[in-house]
Amino acid sequence: MPKKKSKQTKKEVEDENPKQVSSDFSNDVDLDNEEFEEKLSLKNDHMVEDGDQGKKDKKQKKRDKNPKKKAPETDKKEVSNGEAEDSNEENFNEDDENLNEEEDNSSTTLDNEKSKKSDKPKLSHKDKKKLKKQMEYQKQIESLGSKAVDDQFTVSQAVKSAAQQSQFENAVDIKVENFSISARGKELFVNASLHITAGRRYGLVGPNGHGKTTLLKHIANRSLSIPPTIDVLLCEQEVVADDTPAVDVVLQADVKCSQLLAEAKALEEEISKGSLKKQERLNEVYEELRIIGADSAQARARRILSGLGFTKEMQDRATKNFSGGWRMRVSLARALFMEPTLLLLDEPTNHLDLNAVIWLDNYLQCWKKTLLVVSHDQSFLDNVCTDVIHLDSLKLFYYRGNYSQFKKMYVQKRKELTKEYEKQERRLKELKASGKSTKVAEKTQKEALTRKQQKNQPKKHDDENGPTELIKRPREYLVKFHFPNPAPLNPPILGLHNVNFAYSGQLPLFKNLDFGIDMQSRVAIVGPNGVGKTTFLRLLTGELSPTQGEQRQNHRIRIGKFDQHSGEQLNLDESPVEYLQRLFNLNYQDARKQLGSYGLVSYAHTIKNRDLSGGQKARVALAELALRAPDVLVLDEPTNNLDIESIDALAEAISAFEGGVVIVTHDERLIRETNCQLWIIEHQNIDEIDGDFDDYRKELLESLGETVNNPSIAATQAMKQAE
């Protein structure tokens, strides 16, 4: 019976388990003794060689087993007559030899893999879970047909129908439904929807590190479906440092105007040489230049640069002679000059002083096109924005009004969501008490939520709604800053008397400067960049010595100074917890509690300081400052790396602090909330300003020749409503 023998032979090749093989061989009445002994000997040799490997070899054999099953199945299909069966019998010995070679190689490979694995550290449960999630996400992305934007990000979005695509080509609004963005497996947006209406000014807000900047970049590079009629510009990089004057860099941003001017100049030269045929084209070029307002282009460029703090001399200075911060201002001026259909700004106030922020705030209130801005400056968002987009729980939520109005609506929304969550939990408890399992109870509650969603959205089909999930407890993001109140000190506690100062080889910054504070002082230092605000603080704290005059301070005073570089002074080889434990002899839990109250996320408590972001380092430095229990706070741009909630917490802490306070900041709200008296540095001295912040703002804008808009009225009303 050759057919039966052929099948049993293939079973021997297919099955790699030695016990099953020997059993099959012994039960095969058609297999002659010589062949049986030979096969059994080869299998036993392999078992002896791998005997020490035990169960681990067995797992590897199961992995190798799958590809070997395919060959016999194919052979079974091909065996349709006696000739094929005879051919298969003749090739049996060769197949068997190949089988043994593969198993030997498999054994060797497994040994090598084991030796490599023994050298690698074992993955923790958390790491395994993270790796599994990334692999699952990658499979999901591949199944959705998503595209990888670069090595870091993957984007997927809903496919448009033919009718939607036709409308998309001429759309003036942006409408992207059900898009998802991930960064190396970490989800940033899941089934979110982006809606931007032409002519509106949007503020994009949400916790730091949740994807606001990522969203701007994906809009700018058109990874998301942006209509071709909309030109998008993201201001994110400083201009190139070369010999081009700042004003020319701004003017050259208008490519069409630059091309027409160059063409007009060439045509004028040809006509001057007697080529009158070009006159008609020259007239056309003049008309095009008139239509696009080329005559006023330079005046407009200089107005923008002036508002951002450039003097006439600086406007004509080559960009290579500016610092990175000033070149960033040139980049911002260029973006404003170009007036794209959609302008994207990511923390535009970070590189600006207070005067420039006031001008930009006033300028953008009259912005006629569409604006999307990310900012931590609440007053800026209040004054500029007509709408707020809130990034929360991997989705985007939309609110009409400025930031203060958004806060009021968001607080109400959280209250309602908390009530829904509590109601859901009571219902689940009742279901479990009635004898239902947790799984059944949750399923029942999900079905109830699904019915409620369908009732509220009757037009949507079931397949359009994602799977209904149970309501999650709303997470509260609480940041609480606190500076211990100091013991009273007799005035004067800190001051400068008849001080002159100049850096070596440079013109004097200060002449005959007198200034002093006591424990009740609340002072905000203002003035344009370059007048010496930071230098003034360093003179006040004794970090710099005056060339003439003296710095005086109470012998018992403790000065707490925080600036933009405080985070860089941390010991990089320690974790935040270790750093505070060493400095203040705190126990582990107290150190973590202090860091947590200043908004440092828990995982960052125990990683090295060198691996922290700028914002995280700033929080560690502020936590350290509070533990030093200062009598006087001297803060230089403390809000640069903080989010809105942390700036609110800082303002509350300063207001409650009973010591002296001196601040340099570009954040209008911090000045208003802390009731600081404004002092301005100008003409190599410092003077107190008569009036409040609004008076200073009005005077500044009028000095620049600007029409003064009154956002503070709208912002104040919104803040009162929010209260």
Side-chain angles (χ1 to χ4, degrees), residues 9 76 116 203 217 300 331 363-364 375 414 439 445 482 501 517 520 583 639 651 675 677 714:
T9 301
K76 287 178 183 177
K116 288 180 182 177
K217 288 183 177 179
R300 192 159 59 90
S331 179
Y363 185 81
L364 287 176
S375 177
R414 283 184 60 84
K439 187 175 181 180
Q445 186 61 22
H482 173 69
F501 180 79
I517 62 169
Q520 285 73 45
L583 290 178
T639 65
N675 294 316
Q677 177 60 43

Coordinates of all heavy atoms in Angstrom, one line a residue, residues 9 76 116 203 217 300 331 363-364 375 414 439 445 482 501 517 520 583 639 651 675 677 714:
T9 N 5.1 8.7 5.9 CA 6.4 9.3 5.8 C 6.4 10.8 5.9 O 7.2 11.4 6.6 CB 7.0 9.0 4.4 OG1 7.0 7.6 4.2 CG2 8.3 9.6 4.2
K76 N 0.9 17.0 -0.5 CA -0.3 16.2 -0.6 C -1.2 16.6 -1.7 O -1.9 15.8 -2.3 CB -1.1 16.3 0.8 CG -0.4 15.6 1.9 CD -1.2 15.8 3.2 CE -0.5 15.2 4.4 NZ -1.1 15.4 5.7
K116 N 23.0 35.6 23.9 CA 22.8 37.0 23.8 C 21.8 37.5 24.8 O 22.0 38.6 25.3 CB 22.3 37.3 22.3 CG 23.3 37.1 21.3 CD 22.7 37.4 19.9 CE 23.8 37.2 18.8 NZ 23.2 37.4 17.5
G203 N -7.1 80.2 20.2 CA -6.0 79.9 21.2 C -6.1 78.4 21.4 O -7.1 77.8 21.8
K217 N 2.7 71.6 13.9 CA 3.7 71.2 12.9 C 3.0 70.3 11.8 O 3.3 70.4 10.6 CB 4.8 70.4 13.5 CG 5.7 71.3 14.3 CD 6.9 70.5 14.9 CE 7.9 71.4 15.6 NZ 9.0 70.7 16.2
R300 N 5.4 99.4 6.1 CA 4.8 98.3 6.9 C 5.8 97.4 7.6 O 5.6 97.1 8.8 CB 3.8 97.5 6.0 CG 2.9 96.6 6.8 CD 1.7 96.3 5.9 NE 2.1 95.6 4.7 CZ 2.2 94.3 4.5 NH1 2.0 93.5 5.6 NH2 2.6 93.8 3.4
S331 N 12.1 86.7 12.5 CA 11.2 85.7 11.9 C 9.8 85.9 12.2 O 8.9 85.8 11.3 CB 11.6 84.3 12.5 OG 10.8 83.3 12.0
Y363 N -1.6 94.5 18.0 CA -1.5 94.3 16.5 C -2.4 93.2 16.1 O -3.2 93.3 15.1 CB -0.1 94.1 16.1 CG 0.1 94.0 14.6 CD1 0.2 95.1 13.8 CD2 0.2 92.8 14.0 CE1 0.4 95.1 12.5 CE2 0.4 92.7 12.6 CZ 0.5 93.8 11.9 OH 0.7 93.7 10.5
L364 N -2.4 92.1 16.9 CA -3.1 90.9 16.5 C -4.7 91.0 16.7 O -5.4 90.2 16.1 CB -2.6 89.7 17.2 CG -1.2 89.1 16.7 CD1 -0.8 88.0 17.6 CD2 -1.2 88.7 15.3
S375 N -0.1 79.6 23.6 CA 0.6 80.6 24.5 C 0.2 80.2 25.9 O -0.9 79.7 26.2 CB 0.1 82.0 24.2 OG 0.7 82.9 25.1
R414 N -16.8 70.4 33.9 CA -16.2 69.4 34.8 C -17.2 69.0 35.9 O -17.2 67.8 36.3 CB -14.9 70.0 35.4 CG -13.7 69.9 34.5 CD -12.5 70.4 35.2 NE -12.2 69.6 36.4 CZ -11.5 68.4 36.3 NH1 -11.0 68.0 35.1 NH2 -11.3 67.7 37.4
K439 N -18.1 42.3 35.1 CA -18.1 42.3 33.7 C -19.5 42.6 33.1 O -19.7 43.4 32.2 CB -17.5 41.0 33.1 CG -17.3 41.0 31.6 CD -16.7 39.7 31.2 CE -16.5 39.7 29.7 NZ -15.8 38.4 29.2
Q445 N -24.0 48.9 31.8 CA -23.9 50.3 31.8 C -23.4 50.9 30.5 O -23.9 52.0 30.1 CB -22.9 50.7 32.9 CG -22.7 52.2 33.2 CD -24.0 52.8 33.6 OE1 -24.9 52.2 34.1 NE2 -24.1 54.1 33.4
H482 N 3.9 77.7 47.2 CA 3.9 78.3 48.5 C 5.3 78.8 49.0 O 6.2 78.0 48.9 CB 3.3 77.3 49.6 CG 3.3 77.9 51.0 ND1 2.6 78.9 51.4 CD2 4.1 77.5 52.1 CE1 2.8 79.2 52.7 NE2 3.8 78.3 53.1
F501 N 27.3 102.0 36.8 CA 27.8 100.6 36.4 C 27.9 100.6 34.9 O 27.1 101.2 34.1 CB 26.8 99.5 36.8 CG 27.3 98.2 36.3 CD1 28.2 97.5 37.0 CD2 26.8 97.6 35.2 CE1 28.7 96.3 36.6 CE2 27.2 96.3 34.8 CZ 28.2 95.7 35.5
I517 N 13.9 98.8 48.6 CA 12.7 98.1 48.9 C 12.6 97.7 50.4 O 13.6 97.7 51.1 CB 12.5 96.8 48.1 CG1 13.6 95.8 48.4 CG2 12.4 97.1 46.6 CD1 13.3 94.4 47.8
Q520 N 7.2 95.2 52.5 CA 5.9 95.3 51.9 C 6.0 95.6 50.4 O 4.9 95.8 49.7 CB 5.1 96.4 52.6 CG 4.6 96.0 53.9 CD 5.6 95.9 55.0 OE1 6.5 96.8 55.1 NE2 5.6 94.9 55.8
L583 N 20.3 68.9 49.9 CA 20.3 70.3 50.2 C 19.6 70.6 51.6 O 20.1 71.4 52.3 CB 19.7 71.2 49.1 CG 20.5 71.3 47.8 CD1 19.8 72.2 46.8 CD2 21.9 71.9 48.1
T639 N 8.0 83.1 34.3 CA 6.9 82.4 33.7 C 7.3 81.7 32.4 O 6.5 81.0 31.8 CB 5.7 83.4 33.3 OG1 6.2 84.3 32.4 CG2 5.2 84.1 34.6
A651 N 1.2 83.4 40.9 CA 0.6 84.6 41.2 C 0.0 84.6 42.6 O 0.1 85.5 43.4 CB -0.4 85.0 40.2
N675 N -0.5 92.9 42.1 CA -0.6 94.3 42.4 C 0.8 95.0 42.5 O 1.1 95.7 43.4 CB -1.3 94.4 43.8 CG -2.7 94.0 43.7 OD1 -3.4 94.4 42.8 ND2 -3.2 93.2 44.7
Q677 N 3.8 97.5 41.6 CA 4.0 98.9 41.2 C 5.0 98.9 40.0 O 6.1 98.2 40.2 CB 4.5 99.8 42.3 CG 4.8 101.2 41.9 CD 3.6 101.9 41.3 OE1 2.5 101.8 41.9 NE2 3.8 102.7 40.2
A714 N -12.5 94.2 27.6 CA -13.1 92.9 27.3 C -12.5 91.9 28.2 O -13.2 91.0 28.7 CB -12.9 92.5 25.8

